[in-house]
Amino acid sequence: MAELCVVPTGDLVPIPDGLSDETAAALGLSAVAAWMSLTWRAGLQPGEQVLVLGAGGAVGQVAVQAARLLGARRVVAVCRSPEAQKRATDDGADVVVPLHDSDTPADLAERLRQALDGGVDVVIDPVFGIPATAATHVLAPHARIVNLGGAASESATFTSASLRSTSASLLGYTNNALTPAQRRQALTEIFSHAANGALHVAHTVTPLTDITSTWSTGAGTPASRPVIRIGTKPNTTG
């Protein structure tokens, strides 16, 4: 964290009018991960059904909104806290499925069946573990599961039959695999939608002068990103 840093010209992305620096920072690479998981890795097509696991986190929040923007016919979100569940509904999820600490894969899979309109075409998975296992029980033919994190667990259990019976694809994702051009294009599209109010991430803004207390107490939560503001008031020049 610093007031100034050196960045290659090719990595710069203009911030459009109407989008604050704080909102752009909150979206950041988490928004890129959600956007590219849906478009580049999953190849989401208009009219498909999307399941977002871990929808309370930054990636999940963007994935719910982005799936709508990209033409999904139905978006189902899985969240743990009541606050995250409400936010997912506000962000455009058709149904929000609660996740409980006591859930087994079978428990969660049953609730997913009730929430989904048939099998799910695309699963965005930042959590892995039990939610990912449950998702394999509700797949449509040729479904794509995109994993980009292990917030719930570093392991999940899949049966051969659950993948073979639907000819499903299990895909990994990391922002590190993107070319600079892909990253720049993704951010350009994300910022364009954000400037129109269609993409956002819950965040709290903290001035750099308070970074010591912020760091020691732990700013934000998984559902609200901490954004460090440089200076005494927002920089609106982009």
Side-chain angles (χ1 to χ4, degrees):
M1 289 168 282
E3 294 187 11
L4 298 172
C5 64
V6 177
V7 181
T9 302
D11 286 346
L12 296 176
V13 178
I15 297 177
D17 293 339
L19 178 62
S20 70
D21 290 356
E22 290 87 353
T23 300
L27 287 163
L29 289 177
S30 291
V32 171
W35 188 267
M36 295 300 280
S37 291
L38 287 162
T39 57
W40 177 50
R41 293 300 279 155
L44 175 64
Q45 299 299 307
E48 291 190 313
Q49 186 169 213
V50 175
L51 173 62
V52 180
L53 306 178
V59 171
Q61 290 177 49
V62 175
V64 169
Q65 299 166 70
R68 277 284 177 229
L69 291 170
L70 294 165
R73 67 176 173 87
R74 188 173 181 83
V75 181
V76 174
V78 178
C79 301
R80 189 176 296 275
S81 73
E83 176 190 11
Q85 292 167 31
K86 181 182 183 304
R87 181 177 293 118
T89 299
D90 293 342
D91 286 343
D94 292 286
V95 182
V96 178
V97 177
L99 178 65
H100 308 304
D101 291 339
S102 60
D103 276 338
T104 66
D107 295 332
L108 182 55
E110 181 56 33
R111 292 203 298 279
L112 292 177
R113 288 189 190 94
Q114 296 173 12
L116 292 163
D117 178 20
V120 64
D121 300 294
V122 172
V123 179
I124 300 301
D125 172 31
V127 295
F128 220 44
I130 286 175
T133 300
T136 64
H137 296 293
V138 294
L139 301 177
H142 308 292
R144 289 87 72 201
I145 305 171
V146 183
N147 175 262
L148 59 162
S153 175
E154 283 299 310
S155 62
T157 301
F158 305 129
T159 65
S160 174
S162 65
L163 298 178
R164 287 186 294 110
S165 62
T166 57
S167 297
S169 298
L170 182 59
L171 307 167
Y173 176 87
T174 172
N175 281 333
N176 293 334
L178 300 178
T179 66
Q182 285 178 306
R183 185 173 60 248
R184 186 165 51 249
Q185 180 61 35
L187 280 169
T188 298
E189 294 174 358
I190 289 164
F191 287 166
S192 176
H193 288 296
N196 294 326
L199 277 180
H200 57 270
V201 168
H203 61 279
T204 56
V205 179
T206 300
L208 184 60
T209 52
D210 292 344
I211 191 58
T212 300
S213 61
T214 299
W215 189 266
S216 61
T217 58
T221 67
S224 182
R225 307 201 74 178
V227 174
I228 307 305
R229 176 187 291 160
I230 307 299
T232 57
K233 57 184 178 180
N235 170 17
T236 58
T237 63

